[in-house]
Amino acid sequence: MTSTQKLNIPSDRVERLHYIKRMFPQATGEDLSNSWAGGRSQALSKLHSIDAPSYARNRNFINGAVTHLSPYLRYGCLSLNETFAAVKAKFGLVGENLLMQLAWRDFWRQVWYANGDAIFSEMEAPKVGIDYAPLNDFVKQGNTGLPCMDAFVDELLTTGYMHNHARMWFASYVVHHLKTDWRDAADWFESKLLDGDFASNHLSWQWVASTFSSKPYYFNKENLGRYTGEKYCTGCTAKCPFDTDYETLKERLFTQAQITGIDISADRIALCRRRLLPALGGGTRFEIAPSTTSQAPASHDAVFAMAVFRHGGLSNGPASATPLLR
Ligand SMILES: Cc1cc2nc3c(=O)[nH]c(=O)nc-3n(C[C@H](O)[C@H](O)[C@H](O)COP(=O)(O)OP(=O)(O)OC[C@H]3O[C@@H](n4cnc5c(N)ncnc54)[C@H](O)[C@@H]3O)c2cc1C
């Protein structure tokens, strides 16, 4: 087909499928099912069949009453405003949960509008150590050996859809367990989705990676099992990387810098432990030095620096850290 050839696309869906097959004989794969028929009337029928009370109860479950509206919103078969207004008018407060999800979509779009192509790079410094390995072929082919992840990829490749919770689990596995470059993974993921949308997709990957959120997103087996009805865990013989508690996962996934603050004053150390430890987390320790000689200057500086960072008192040039620790 040349680029100037006029397309006379039949309005009947079945005829249209035959036509597309004729025009694009090189295209392979399954036809999309009727549930994904495109167009305005199909979009309206999806909008009218929303079950907001069930959505509020079970949207996080893999078989929950989610709307499947995203491709229609993505391609403008429905506007976000009319969807928001329709849900609000029909369900009022009961629709709040769904309205909040629509607001996320709006938020990501506003961030894109305000920042342009910057959303394709890290919006903020990552809050934990992440890495930048290219996305592996075994992931793209759904050959990780983990039944849950492979099923998610299989669904993505065959239907172009993945439930929101599965997207979160998958992205977290790819970024934090496999240490993949989130940008590489996000590009590939977006290209396979029927609802592929730069703003929702790339900013969600950043949210998982912690480059556009205050912490990384990670999950354990109990969480995945609960929201999938144990569908993938029952009978799974794979060595499960998620089968542990959150503390252990955190230590395993995110190597933290170990900083020890040493000071001869027991009072100062007690203050540091009380004030700074909760904010600085497990990689930081404070110890009392038995004498001034064992109070290494660099370690003392660490305590001082933390106090300064916390209070921003550097410009005052205090001679001692003590006032800043209060
Ligand atoms: C890693 C990752 C990548 C994503 N990539 C995309 C993408 O490319 N395109 C896309 O449209 N959505 C994306 N999302 C958001 C969300 O997963 C999908 O919008 C949702 O799963 C679509 O299915 P649904 O219409 O049945 O959702 P429902 O749960 O029924 O939600 C209704 C509508 O609310 C909006 N919505 C719901 N959850 C979110 C969310 N977390 N962020 C933004 N909007 C939301 C969508 O417009 C959705 O159609 C991504 C999420 C993650 C974690």
Side-chain angles (χ1 to χ4, degrees):
M1 188 177 61
T2 65
S3 57
T4 51
Q5 199 171 328
K6 187 167 176 341
L7 294 177
N8 287 314
I9 300 175
S11 55
D12 177 75
R13 180 172 156 75
V14 177
E15 274 180 39
R16 195 161 61 233
L17 277 177
H18 286 307
Y19 174 82
I20 290 170
K21 278 189 175 157
R22 247 192 351 267
M23 295 303 286
F24 301 96
Q26 73 278 25
T28 54
E30 299 289 309
D31 296 336
L32 288 174
S33 68
N34 275 333
S35 56
W36 288 117
R40 172 79 177 162
S41 51
Q42 184 72 13
L44 287 174
S45 123
K46 285 251 195 280
L47 181 63
H48 294 139
S49 58
I50 286 176
D51 177 356
S54 299
Y55 183 87
R57 266 197 317 275
N58 62 23
R59 75 175 187 91
N60 279 323
F61 288 84
I62 214 83
N63 59 355
V66 293
T67 65
H68 294 132
L69 283 179
S70 51
Y72 302 95
L73 289 164
R74 162 66 181 83
Y75 288 99
C77 306
L78 286 174
S79 79
L80 198 49
N81 269 352
E82 73 172 325
T83 307
F84 195 92
V87 173
K88 200 169 160 202
K90 186 166 174 189
F91 298 104
L93 267 186
V94 178
E96 195 182 6
N97 207 303
L98 177 54
L99 295 176
M100 276 164 59
Q101 304 317 309
L102 294 170
W104 271 109
R105 185 181 193 92
D106 187 42
F107 174 63
W108 298 138
R109 290 192 75 79
Q110 304 263 3
V111 173
W112 188 22
Y113 184 72
N115 295 277
D117 285 354
I119 67 162
F120 301 118
S121 309
E122 295 187 346
M123 300 286 289
E124 299 164 6
K127 314 305 177 299
V128 290
I130 56 174
D131 224 324
Y132 301 95
L135 182 64
N136 263 306
D137 282 346
F138 69 76
V139 179
K140 296 183 193 172
Q141 290 154 4
N143 270 330
T144 66
L146 300 173
C148 49
M149 296 301 146
D150 292 346
F152 299 151
V153 173
D154 187 53
E155 187 188 13
L156 175 69
L157 298 181
T158 51
T159 69
Y161 181 77
M162 200 190 276
H163 184 281
N164 180 59
H165 219 155
R167 295 183 201 207
M168 289 162 60
W169 292 321
F170 176 72
S172 176
Y173 167 65
V174 167
V175 172
H176 298 307
H177 289 258
L178 301 181
K179 300 292 176 193
T180 306
D181 186 334
W182 68 264
R183 295 161 302 191
D184 200 18
D187 287 346
W188 172 80
F189 198 65
E190 193 265 337
S191 75
K192 301 294 172 201
L193 283 168
L194 266 187
D195 63 22
D197 173 272
F198 287 145
S200 287
N201 184 61
H202 284 70
L203 290 167
S204 293
W205 279 87
Q206 298 223 40
W207 180 84
V208 168
S210 82
T211 57
F212 197 45
S213 60
S214 59
K215 56 184 190 316
Y217 172 74
Y218 57 104
F219 64 95
N220 69 5
K221 182 182 172 193
E222 194 210 331
N223 176 273
L224 190 143
R226 171 160 186 243
Y227 289 103
T228 55
E230 302 290 338
K231 185 172 160 187
Y232 308 108
C233 303
T234 308
C236 173
T237 53
K239 190 170 178 321
C240 179
F242 320 120
D243 189 10
T244 186
D245 58 78
Y246 280 101
E247 268 312 302
T248 313
L249 265 177
K250 187 173 162 192
E251 272 166 32
R252 234 184 246 166
L253 295 177
F254 313 117
T255 40
Q256 298 187 342
Q258 295 289 327
I259 299 172
T260 308
I262 303 178
D263 198 287
I264 193 165
S265 155
D267 283 352
R268 277 188 190 176
I269 289 298
L271 214 50
C272 284
R273 285 182 183 153
R274 207 168 55 244
R275 293 279 168 90
L276 302 177
L277 260 191
L280 297 171
T284 314
R285 291 185 313 158
F286 293 101
E287 283 172 11
I288 304 164
S291 69
T292 40
T293 44
S294 60
Q295 180 192 297
S299 303
H300 180 268
D301 283 352
V303 177
F304 183 73
M306 279 181 246
V308 171
F309 288 145
R310 194 172 140 84
H311 291 277
L314 201 56
S315 56
N316 304 334
S320 151
T322 309
L324 295 171
L325 289 171
R326 297 229 162 83

